[in-house]
Amino acid sequence: MSNIYLLFEHAAGYALFQTEVEDELLSSVNEAIFDVNKFKQLCHFVAFQPFKTQRDALEDMNCISENILPTSLEEFLTSNLPKKKKKYVLGVSEVKFAAAISEKCEIKCTTSNVVPELMRGIRFHFHNLVEGFDDRNASVKAMLGLGHSYSRAKVKFNVSKIDNMIIQSINLLDQLDKDINTFTMRVREWYSHHFPELIQVVPENILYIQCVKVLKDRRNLSEDIEEQLENILNDSVKAQNIIEIAHNSMGMDISEVDLENVFIFAERITGLVQKRKDIMDYLRSKMGSVAPNLAALIGDVVGARLIAQAGSLINLAKAPASTVQILGAEKALFRALKTRGNTPKYGLLYHSKFIGKAAKSNKGRISRYLANKCSVASRIDCFREIPTEVFGNKLKVQVEDRLKFYESGEIPKKNIDAMDEAFDEAVVAEADVIKMIKKEKKKAKKRKLDEMENSSCADESLSAMDTEDANSSLIKKKKKKKHSKTEQELENVSLNDTQEEMTNDIPKKKKKKKHSDVGDISKEINGDIVQNNGDINLSSKKKKKKRMDTSMS
């Protein structure tokens, strides 16, 4: 019995188990999967290495999905496996990843029938086999978190090239074409009971719907009906024929309620036609940003159908030219392989104008050449950072030159020369794009600076207004203080004035008294002043008497 080691990649880390079970004992493994004790006897735990961070787990998972051996896994295997490599075999779940391990580490790997069953048992009993995973919910949460991060990273891969919108829009266009055709046929059958001859004059679906909206009841035509029909059909002869046939039609009479239903349905169809035009414009813009070279080479609709048939732009870029040639003709290919008949020459490429221009004997040759150029254009669009139409235009010229070579024998330009010219033009175009991007960045910076300046000016104005308000409030307070001071001074002055008036109003007899009965200081002062004034008056009288006496003598 050979010694087998099993490598199990878990969301929390790498685990290594040992077993001696071979393919002959597969039935015993199936019996022991649902019993932990029995499974532990068959599969023994050896080592476990956890991931340091979730980012490391995501990087290792991306490497394993692309069949690349991570360095951490390589170190884990070399440190835990025996040094004698001939005495054991490493069991791995996937064949391509086993080949990568055997090439890099020189370890003999196996993916026999017993390995998937043992992996299933390890996955079921992982929380019981490895220490630290006592709870099964922790293991499930780790796997769920890593799965979400992995799918999120895959969705965010190459964000600038969103080809999912192209796939959805081209599928919607195809569905709208089918719906518009079926609804128009329904209106034609419905309105033909009233005006059956209109289909022979106007066989086009969209023009027929517009004419129905204008004509309405053929028995009561308006005066300007001929002008309206001329604007729709751009043909005066057809407009006159429709009017003449309407007067002499063999159709049945129809009620107004039935006509209203027909007209409402016709308006819905015109709305669908307008919506289809809008979606077509949207598809052109998306193809110009996602796959400009493919759109320039083969057209927007055919290029979008190729991307939708391949699943994504990356899948289309990875596919060889032989696969691109028969995309859309898978049923015919498998039927030819089954019946050993002739394989199809083209699939979706049949709708391109180059195959329509080619002769019947050259359709297969030009389809093979066109598929080669389409694969080149898709790879340029997928892996080039700055999108340009230069390569697609050059490839289109090459296909046209090849058509001329098949018809007249004119030798076309070599592929190397054409690609060199395209590369030089692409460098110039990229320089212009980079300049435009820089200008846009500068404009954005200027706008931000202007916004910052405007916001700062607004803040300054607000602060100035606040300071002015504060200053005005201070000035008002000062004025109030001054006003209050002046009021106090005026009150004091008025009190002094009133005191003087009171002193003047007091009679002289009372002024001669030295002290008043009331102990008021102001009255005492006024009394002293009055006494002094009386003494001054007496002295002046005595001096006058002396002068008179001297004069008499």
Side-chain angles (χ1 to χ4, degrees), residues 30 40 49 77 93 160 185 193 200 360 398 416 483 492 502 529:
N30 292 328
K40 284 183 178 180
Q49 180 180 343
L77 292 174
S93 58
S160 61
M185 292 299 295
H193 294 289
Q200 298 176 356
K360 187 176 181 180
Q398 281 186 318
I416 296 173
H483 185 67
N492 295 327
M502 289 293 290
I529 292 166

Side-chain angles (χ1 to χ4, degrees), residues 432-494:
D432 295 336
V433 171
I434 290 167
K435 287 180 181 178
M436 290 294 292
I437 291 168
K438 288 182 178 179
K439 287 181 180 179
E440 289 178 357
K441 287 182 179 180
K442 287 181 180 178
K443 288 180 180 179
K445 286 182 180 179
K446 286 182 180 179
R447 288 173 186 173
K448 288 182 180 179
L449 290 172
D450 294 335
E451 289 177 358
M452 293 292 289
E453 287 178 357
N454 292 327
S455 62
S456 62
C457 291
D459 294 335
E460 288 178 358
S461 62
L462 289 171
S463 62
M465 291 291 290
D466 293 335
T467 51
E468 287 179 359
D469 293 335
N471 292 327
S472 62
S473 63
L474 289 171
I475 291 165
K476 286 179 180 179
K477 287 180 181 180
K478 289 180 179 179
K479 285 182 178 179
K480 284 181 180 180
K481 288 181 180 179
K482 288 182 179 179
H483 185 67
S484 61
K485 287 180 180 180
T486 51
E487 286 180 352
Q488 289 178 358
E489 290 176 356
L490 290 171
E491 287 177 356
N492 295 327
V493 170
S494 62

Side-chain angles (χ1 to χ4, degrees), residues 84-135:
K84 294 180 180 180
K85 298 178 181 179
K86 295 181 179 180
K87 291 186 177 182
Y88 66 90
V89 179
L90 182 63
V92 185
S93 58
E94 294 183 3
V95 179
K96 293 182 180 180
F97 189 55
I101 293 171
S102 61
E103 286 179 3
K104 197 165 186 180
C105 299
E106 297 180 357
I107 298 171
K108 188 178 180 180
C109 298
T110 182
T111 56
S112 59
N113 295 328
V114 73
V115 172
E117 296 297 327
L118 290 170
M119 291 290 183
R120 187 161 67 94
I122 291 168
R123 190 179 297 107
F124 189 72
H125 299 293
F126 185 80
H127 59 285
N128 292 322
L129 296 174
V130 182
E131 296 179 358
F133 285 91
D134 297 333
D135 189 7

Side-chain angles (χ1 to χ4, degrees), residues 525-552:
I525 293 166
N526 291 327
D528 294 334
I529 292 166
V530 169
Q531 287 179 357
N532 292 326
N533 289 326
D535 295 335
I536 290 164
N537 291 326
L538 290 171
S539 62
S540 60
K541 285 180 180 182
K542 288 178 179 179
K543 287 179 180 179
K544 284 181 181 180
K545 283 181 180 181
K546 286 180 180 180
R547 287 176 183 174
M548 290 292 291
D549 293 335
T550 53
S551 63
M552 289 293 291

Side-chain angles (χ1 to χ4, degrees), residues 158 161 290 313-314 317 377-385:
N158 203 357
K161 300 181 185 300
V290 176
L313 182 62
I314 298 170
S378 62
R379 288 165 190 172
I380 292 169
D381 291 329
C382 183
F383 301 108
R384 194 173 180 84
E385 293 182 357

Side-chain angles (χ1 to χ4, degrees), residues 300-323:
D300 299 317
V301 177
V302 181
R305 285 202 175 101
L306 285 174
I307 293 171
Q309 188 67 29
S312 65
L313 182 62
I314 298 170
N315 294 337
L316 183 63
K318 290 178 180 179
S322 60
T323 304

Side-chain angles (χ1 to χ4, degrees), residues 268-281:
R268 294 292 179 89
I269 293 170
T270 54
L272 288 175
V273 172
Q274 184 62 38
K275 191 65 179 176
R276 187 192 180 282
K277 290 179 182 178
D278 297 338
I279 294 170
M280 191 65 198
D281 296 335

